Amino acid sequence: MNKLSLSIIFFLLFVIIFGAYKFIYQGNVVTADDGRTAIVLTGTEKDLILEEMRGFLSAAQQIVQAVSNGEIDKIIIAAKKVGKAAQAEVPVSLVGKLPMAFKKLGFDTHVKFDELAMDAQDMEDKEQSLKLLGQLMQNCVACHAAYRLDLEKTN
Ligand code: HEC
């Protein structure tokens, strides 16, 4: 093998590894004026994520209300609605644009709603449900502090 083909191989390897890093780990991001990491998306992609968010908010509201009314069954229904099973089908193109840490935090939030539902089912302890909600909502706070969604520029 001559030097030229070797350097071509190394160059291509670099391109592949860099591409994989960009796609799997970093996502399509820029630093926004407010210091947060802006994930740059199309309008449709942004809408998909925001819809999931409104589902989260609605679940949190329903759980708080169900706790105050002492309705364990409603706590379970509301939490399951935003559990793993309900997680929106995310197109591969969008998966590549989301940073790894963002995906982990999002996934963990769905998992924690499932855990809340299971706990309510097993323990029937509404105070415990409220406590778990408070804990899982630290994910909401952490993610919103770190990320925002910006639109791709369409020239
Ligand atoms: C993995 C990150 C992440 C997690 C976890 C997360 N959010 Fe969000 N959420 C975002 C981002 C990013 C936005 C867009 C904010 C922006 O562009 O300024 C957003 C927006 C929203 C919006 C606005 C929706 C709209 O239609 O404009 C609501 C409501 C919301 N989130 C609620 C929640 C609640 C409640 C939780 C927790 C149960 C939560 N989010 C957890 C990242 C997250």
Side-chain angles (χ1 to χ4, degrees), residues 36 39 46 49-51 53-54 56-58 60 101-103 105-106 109 113 136-137 139-141 143-144 147-150:
R36 290 188 292 173
I39 306 171
K46 185 174 171 183
I49 293 182
L50 291 181
E51 193 182 341
M53 290 300 149
R54 294 192 296 277
F56 275 158
L57 179 61
S58 173
F102 184 92
K103 283 181 276 209
L105 207 48
T109 307
F113 271 113
L136 87 75
M137 285 190 82
N139 277 9
C140 324
V141 175
C143 196
H144 296 148
Y147 296 100
R148 66 181 217 183
L149 307 176
D150 282 6

Side-chain angles (χ1 to χ4, degrees), residues 115-152:
E115 286 170 359
L116 192 158
M118 261 188 298
D119 180 87
Q121 217 153 13
D122 294 345
M123 302 300 180
E124 299 188 10
D125 178 350
K126 59 188 171 72
E127 296 307 323
Q128 173 72 6
S129 297
L130 195 58
K131 192 173 164 193
L132 290 176
L133 181 66
Q135 285 169 4
L136 87 75
M137 285 190 82
Q138 287 173 349
N139 277 9
C140 324
V141 175
C143 196
H144 296 148
Y147 296 100
R148 66 181 217 183
L149 307 176
D150 282 6
L151 283 178
E152 269 172 18

Side-chain angles (χ1 to χ4, degrees), residues 6-20:
L6 254 186
S7 27
I8 289 173
I9 287 170
F10 275 116
F11 174 72
L12 290 177
L13 262 180
F14 173 79
V15 170
I16 290 168
I17 291 167
F18 181 74

Side-chain angles (χ1 to χ4, degrees), residues 16-151:
I16 290 168
I17 291 167
F18 181 74
Y21 168 78
K22 282 274 306 174
F23 189 81
I24 295 168
Y25 200 77
Q26 191 185 36
N28 193 25
V29 296
V30 294
T31 303
D33 299 341
D34 64 8
R36 290 188 292 173
T37 300
I39 306 171
V40 184
L41 303 174
T42 66
T44 323
E45 291 166 342
K46 185 174 171 183
D47 288 347
L48 184 88
I49 293 182
L50 291 181
E51 193 182 341
E52 206 168 344
M53 290 300 149
R54 294 192 296 277
F56 275 158
L57 179 61
S58 173
Q61 187 277 333
Q62 286 167 28
I63 292 168
V64 171
Q65 190 159 354
V67 166
S68 74
N69 293 338
E71 300 166 318
I72 297 284
D73 53 330
K74 290 198 178 157
I75 297 177
I76 299 167
I77 293 168
K80 275 191 181 158
K81 240 191 265 173
V82 284
K84 263 184 312 198
Q87 199 169 7
E89 213 34 67
V90 179
V92 182
S93 55
L94 176 54
V95 172
K97 290 179 184 176
L98 303 176
M100 185 58 90
F102 184 92
K103 283 181 276 209
K104 272 194 182 153
L105 207 48
F107 186 71
D108 183 62
T109 307
H110 288 289
V111 169
K112 286 202 159 76
F113 271 113
D114 275 334
E115 286 170 359
L116 192 158
M118 261 188 298
D119 180 87
Q121 217 153 13
D122 294 345
M123 302 300 180
E124 299 188 10
D125 178 350
K126 59 188 171 72
E127 296 307 323
Q128 173 72 6
S129 297
L130 195 58
K131 192 173 164 193
L132 290 176
L133 181 66
Q135 285 169 4
L136 87 75
M137 285 190 82
Q138 287 173 349
N139 277 9
C140 324
V141 175
C143 196
H144 296 148
Y147 296 100
R148 66 181 217 183
L149 307 176
D150 282 6
L151 283 178

